[in-house]
Amino acid sequence: MPIHYLEAHRSFFLQSAGSSYICQILPQGYLAHVYWGAPLQPQNLDFAFQWRDRPFSPNPDNSNRAFSLDTARLEYPVYGNSDYRSPAISVVRSSDGSRQIDLRYKSHTIVPGKPALAGLPATLASDSQADTLTITLADEELGIEVDLLYTVFAEVPVITRSALVRNVGPATIDLERVLSASVDFIPSVAGSHFVHLSGAWSRERSVEVSPLRLGTQSVESRRGTSSHQHNPFFALAQHGADEECGNVYGFNLVYSGNFVASVETDAHDSVRGQIGINPFDFGWKLEAGETFQSPEAVLVFSPEGLGGLSRAYHRFYREHLIRGKWKHEPRPVLVNNWEATYFDFDAEKLEKIAATGAELGVELFVLDDGWFGKRNDDTTSLGDWKIDPRKLPGGLEDLARRINEKGVAFGLWFEPEMISPDSDLYRAHPDWCLHVGDRPLSQGRNQLVLDFSRADVVENIYDQMAQILRTVPISYVKWDMNRHLTEIGSAKLPADRQKETAHRYVLGLYALLERLTSEFPEVLFEGCSGGGGRFDPGILAYMPQYWTSDNSDAIARLSIQYGTSIVYPMSTMGAHVSVVPNHQLGRVTPFRTRGEVAFTGAFGYELDLGALSPEDREETARQIALYKEVRPLLMQGDLYRLRSPFRSNEFAWMVVSADRREAVVTHVNVLAQANPTQLFLPLRGLDAALEYKVQGADVTYRGDALMQLGLPVPPAFGDFISTQWWLKA
Ligand code: DGJ
């Protein structure tokens, strides 16, 4: 049982593999945070509370001047009675406008397994894999109860948290802020650096690290989706922590809409880390008897730096987030026609790409944007999910069957959440897009956003997509989303519920995904939002892989994939070989490098395979054959990042099998150097006592030498040279 309750001290010890998370009910009934970090046996930790009278920290009970919520470490802080730091929850009672809330312990339960979260994706666990502690806090005067859910996993250093708010009083309560997790670190373990993943379209998830300073540091999205700009993740790294050592605490939100991730440091070294739905432009009316469920936060502790944090997230997400058939099935090697043809294709062109793909070993052909309505560019037809007979006179079914006959599966692109003003759907239902009264509508890529907070809108898109998925032999869906939300208002919601629109939009999206993925469990869904604009665990719960970036340049991808790997497993990162000069950057890189960089993800091609030179064609066949051999290792192995492209001219990482008998190592030398120094690449995660043979070469090294001296890297002649080794014991 990984959860222990010490009655004598009213403390909860949550023991996930390799970590302890401890909270305690204070004599006043407040739920205090005690500790999170390396494992501690259940014991008396009352000494963690050193109360002292501090000027300007008021006292809820004047008979005890040493006690103030301002200086307490709390599990779910509120505003109004002495804590001035950022609260986890804010409410307004409609009957009197009261914003006061005072949450104290009411009861708790501990059960095996993990309950589902109504309407939201969440990680999964069987009764033998995890236990769940629910602590109910209540404010009886206000008529509110909050269930804090903590699931503790036996095999991974992970604790998931979420909050369920219940209106148990007679008055309507307006929720203004309901965060998923708040942790007040004890100063001795609090991190000293704020790590987050930020960027923009085509340069997503750059690793940003800044020292903590007094005040608040945060990242957030106000774009309606988790966005390219920031990821719903942050970590606190202890002073001196690096890639392989030091304590790091990760927070990741299983949510695809507006979020906030923040850390607040005060003058007494109190460090409060929080993550949840962004209170910006959020509101929720909770009628008597109703509940509101927050998304889930995934908290990971690593004593082995960022590398250990990543490996824990990867293992956890592969096992407990990704579900269905594609959790363990090998992901198909695909070819996508987007960069090969853009909108300019016909059946013959597509079939040719698929036929060449079949000869080279490709397993899946993906027809991207432009197959529906009258779409020859991005100005039209989103929402009209019907074949364009001018391009594909035989219809989708015929095309899919012809491609299947070549031995290649068929996949199809959709952008389900969007509507073009020039579409039959818009002409029939102009009020189905997000809008605010008669105000003009901002367009992005010539398109508007469908109001997915409305069940009738979601139903229509479900009908259109399900009809195609039922009749056409489709094995894969690419689910795109090419703009962020504006004019966030819904014609269906009353005035006092308009602030619910953005969250209801996300719930509508999840409802559609839940329905389609349940009804078509064989289909592999790949997420996309102009590349990696919504790469988050909420989406990954339905779509096991995600198009990492619209930037397909191999050198740009080194940083994008490296940053993405801080949280997300390699199996989730769509990575394709494309042509040179690269369409986003104009850069020319060797074909081999493009392949070896794309190998480190869910692998594919995004070019006209029929137009390859004989050498590139041969190399393609070699890459595909090799990828198929190492695919199980790449998809399920442990990742060790060896060289950061953010910090050097090199990139290197390796993936090691669970039994440590096999590894694939990839090194990229970005710019060539005259008279170069001999590089040695110390490896990690191998078995020191095993002999490893380099596949395809007559060389053997012992694991200890590989990890201490390092693998000798051949000198690079020319820019952008990669080397890949497959080692087998
Ligand atoms: C953006 C995606 O990221 C691309 O891969 C492609 O699918 C286009 N949209 C199609 O419009």
Side-chain angles (χ1 to χ4, degrees):
M1 188 73 137
I3 300 175
H4 304 269
Y5 177 56
L6 288 196
E7 181 71 56
H9 305 284
R10 300 218 293 171
S11 55
F12 301 93
F13 282 73
L14 281 52
Q15 312 287 62
S16 70
S19 79
S20 291
Y21 185 107
I22 304 163
C23 50
Q24 180 159 334
I25 306 159
L26 297 178
Q28 298 83 351
Y30 296 108
L31 185 64
H33 180 77
V34 180
Y35 168 84
W36 178 26
L40 288 185
Q41 286 306 308
Q43 57 189 285
N44 176 4
L45 293 175
D46 287 350
F47 70 87
F49 303 99
Q50 300 283 336
W51 303 107
R52 183 172 312 162
D53 181 3
R54 290 192 190 276
F56 289 87
S57 289
N59 317 107
D61 169 6
N62 203 42
S63 67
N64 180 2
R65 294 242 341 227
F67 183 76
S68 172
L69 294 172
D70 200 27
T71 56
R73 290 186 294 279
L74 299 161
E75 280 293 292
Y76 208 65
V78 299
Y79 170 74
N81 57 348
S82 80
D83 189 355
Y84 297 103
R85 294 163 295 174
S86 169
I89 180 168
S90 305
V91 304
V92 181
R93 180 160 57 189
S94 59
S95 53
D96 60 358
S98 151
R99 282 106 53 233
Q100 179 81 37
I101 175 167
D102 184 36
L103 291 174
R104 306 211 194 188
Y105 172 84
K106 182 174 179 202
S107 60
H108 75 267
T109 59
I110 298 173
V111 296
K114 184 170 190 292
L117 305 186
L120 287 164
T123 56
L124 306 166
S126 67
D127 286 2
S128 63
Q129 289 172 320
D131 287 345
T132 298
L133 164 69
T134 302
I135 303 178
T136 301
L137 307 178
D139 180 334
E140 280 172 13
E141 202 274 325
L142 183 68
I144 277 277
E145 287 180 2
V146 179
D147 288 347
L148 297 182
L149 272 78
Y150 300 81
T151 299
V152 186
F153 292 78
E155 304 294 333
V156 268
V158 174
I159 288 169
T160 59
R161 284 190 59 177
S162 67
L164 177 85
V165 185
R166 217 173 5 257
N167 183 348
V168 292
T172 301
I173 304 279
D174 289 316
L175 303 177
E176 294 187 328
R177 173 186 189 93
V178 182
L179 298 186
S180 299
S182 183
V183 178
D184 284 353
F185 289 85
I186 189 163
S188 47
V189 306
S192 63
H193 285 75
F194 181 54
V195 182
H196 58 100
L197 304 173
S198 297
W201 174 80
S202 256
R203 46 188 171 82
E204 295 90 343
R205 290 172 294 285
S206 155
V207 183
E208 305 291 329
V209 182
S210 50
L212 286 192
R213 46 181 162 66
L214 287 181
T216 302
Q217 279 147 284
S218 68
V219 288
E220 63 184 310
S221 170
R222 300 175 183 162
R223 294 170 171 268
T225 83
S226 49
S227 85
H228 304 80
Q229 282 71 11
H230 299 288
N231 200 259
F233 162 80
F234 74 99
L236 290 175
Q238 264 191 339
H239 186 69
D242 62 13
E243 180 61 22
E244 291 300 338
C245 59
N247 289 350
V248 182
Y249 303 84
F251 293 70
N252 193 201
L253 192 66
V254 187
Y255 190 60
S256 310
N258 292 337
F259 71 89
V260 66
S262 69
V263 55
E264 182 176 5
T265 311
D266 78 5
H268 299 295
D269 292 334
S270 134
V271 175
R272 174 169 288 178
Q274 297 187 317
I275 198 161
I277 293 179
N278 197 340
F280 173 85
D281 198 37
F282 166 80
W284 198 271
K285 212 162 249 317
L286 204 61
E287 306 286 358
E290 286 184 347
T291 56
F292 179 85
Q293 174 65 61
S294 86
E296 172 168 284
V298 179
L299 275 54
V300 171
F301 167 71
S302 159
E304 291 178 349
L306 277 174
L309 185 89
S310 303
R311 286 186 288 281
Y313 270 118
H314 296 179
R315 272 201 299 279
F316 182 63
Y317 284 160
R318 284 196 307 257
E319 198 47 47
H320 297 277
L321 180 68
I322 308 296
R323 24 178 160 152
K325 164 176 168 164
W326 297 99
K327 179 170 170 175
H328 298 299
E329 288 271 309
R331 305 289 168 71
V333 176
L334 66 82
V335 61
N336 177 306
N337 76 307
W338 179 241
E339 287 198 19
T341 66
Y342 294 103
F343 293 102
D344 180 19
F345 60 79
D346 55 23
E348 198 186 331
K349 257 196 200 175
L350 302 178
E351 277 188 61
K352 245 170 99 183
I353 297 176
T356 318
E359 287 162 22
L360 297 173
V362 162
E363 295 159 313
L364 167 72
F365 169 83
V366 180
L367 171 53
D368 209 282
D369 195 354
W371 57 267
F372 52 93
K374 48 187 175 63
R375 190 156 163 101
N376 287 325
D377 55 34
D378 63 19
T379 59
T380 174
S381 301
L382 293 168
D384 297 344
W385 300 107
K386 298 211 170 42
I387 191 80
D388 180 351
R390 295 164 311 163
K391 281 186 185 166
L392 302 171
L396 267 184
E397 224 178 314
D398 177 63
L399 176 69
R401 286 200 202 292
R402 282 162 179 276
I403 286 176
N404 286 171
E405 277 160 18
K406 302 181 201 325
V408 177
F410 180 70
L412 194 60
W413 179 97
F414 288 93
E415 196 175 356
E417 299 152 77
M418 295 293 149
I419 182 165
S420 305
D422 176 19
S423 65
D424 293 342
L425 191 68
Y426 187 75
R427 283 181 282 275
H429 301 285
D431 63 331
W432 275 17
C433 61
L434 289 174
H435 65 283
V436 179
D438 293 331
R439 284 182 179 271
L441 294 163
S442 311
Q443 294 189 25
R445 206 195 191 203
N446 303 303
Q447 62 202 49
L448 303 170
V449 183
L450 279 170
D451 180 358
F452 263 36
S453 74
R454 294 175 59 151
D456 53 349
V457 173
V458 173
E459 187 68 25
N460 176 288
I461 299 300
Y462 162 78
D463 285 342
Q464 293 197 58
M465 291 180 74
Q467 165 68 11
I468 293 173
L469 292 170
R470 275 185 212 123
T471 50
V472 181
I474 288 177
S475 309
Y476 161 108
V477 164
K478 179 173 173 185
W479 184 300
D480 207 345
M481 202 250 187
N482 282 302
R483 58 159 296 181
H484 292 146
L485 280 51
T486 54
E487 290 82 35
I488 298 177
S490 172
K492 264 277 163 84
L493 290 172
D496 58 358
R497 285 188 181 269
Q498 286 295 320
K499 276 190 162 187
E500 297 178 12
T501 309
H503 181 55
R504 285 188 184 274
Y505 177 95
V506 180
L507 296 179
L509 168 67
Y510 289 151
L512 179 57
L513 279 166
E514 183 70 46
R515 203 165 165 193
L516 288 171
T517 52
S518 310
E519 192 172 333
F520 302 99
E522 300 293 311
V523 174
L524 170 62
F525 285 78
E526 175 157 349
C528 176
S529 175
R534 196 165 51 179
F535 203 130
D536 61 60
I539 293 294
L540 294 179
Y542 302 104
M543 312 205 218
Q545 58 191 56
Y546 207 95
W547 182 225
T548 314
S549 178
D550 270 349
N551 191 339
S552 63
D553 172 72
I555 300 306
R557 275 296 185 117
L558 297 178
S559 312
I560 295 168
Q561 292 171 194
Y562 187 102
T564 304
S565 81
I566 296 289
V567 186
Y568 306 106
M570 285 170 56
S571 60
T572 63
M573 286 187 234
H576 301 169
V577 176
S578 61
V579 292
V580 292
N582 173 266
H583 287 191
Q584 291 77 40
L585 291 181
R587 182 150 44 210
V588 177
T589 51
F591 196 86
R592 194 174 186 118
T593 301
R594 282 175 268 153
E596 294 186 343
V597 172
F599 250 51
T600 59
F603 183 62
Y605 292 80
E606 182 122 357
L607 43 71
D608 183 354
L609 290 171
L612 291 175
S613 68
E615 304 78 59
D616 288 352
R617 190 186 154 93
E618 205 177 299
E619 171 63 9
T620 302
R622 184 197 72 84
Q623 286 173 354
I624 295 175
L626 177 60
Y627 183 78
K628 286 179 183 169
E629 281 194 79
V630 292
R631 174 164 52 186
L633 163 61
L634 292 174
M635 295 294 102
Q636 301 294 331
D638 275 335
L639 177 72
Y640 291 83
R641 290 179 296 256
L642 308 173
R643 292 274 195 275
S644 163
F646 294 101
R647 277 184 273 165
S648 70
N649 186 43
E650 290 169 74
F651 161 95
W653 69 12
M654 64 184 289
V655 187
V656 185
S657 62
D659 63 5
R660 300 193 290 162
R661 299 188 64 83
E662 225 186 314
V664 169
V665 184
T666 307
H667 178 274
V668 180
N669 198 74
V670 177
L671 293 180
Q673 196 190 23
N675 188 16
T677 306
Q678 173 61 51
L679 296 174
F680 290 92
L681 191 60
L683 304 187
R684 312 247 336 151
L686 299 176
D687 185 328
L690 288 178
E691 296 268 349
Y692 292 89
K693 178 169 184 330
V694 179
Q695 302 301 291
D698 198 15
V699 192
T700 302
Y701 304 98
R702 250 179 77 99
D704 53 1
L706 284 172
M707 291 193 286
Q708 301 308 325
L709 275 75
L711 189 60
V713 180
F717 185 71
D719 293 337
F720 319 128
I721 300 297
S722 68
T723 316
Q724 204 154 54
W725 300 260
W726 179 15
L727 307 172
K728 264 184 164 184

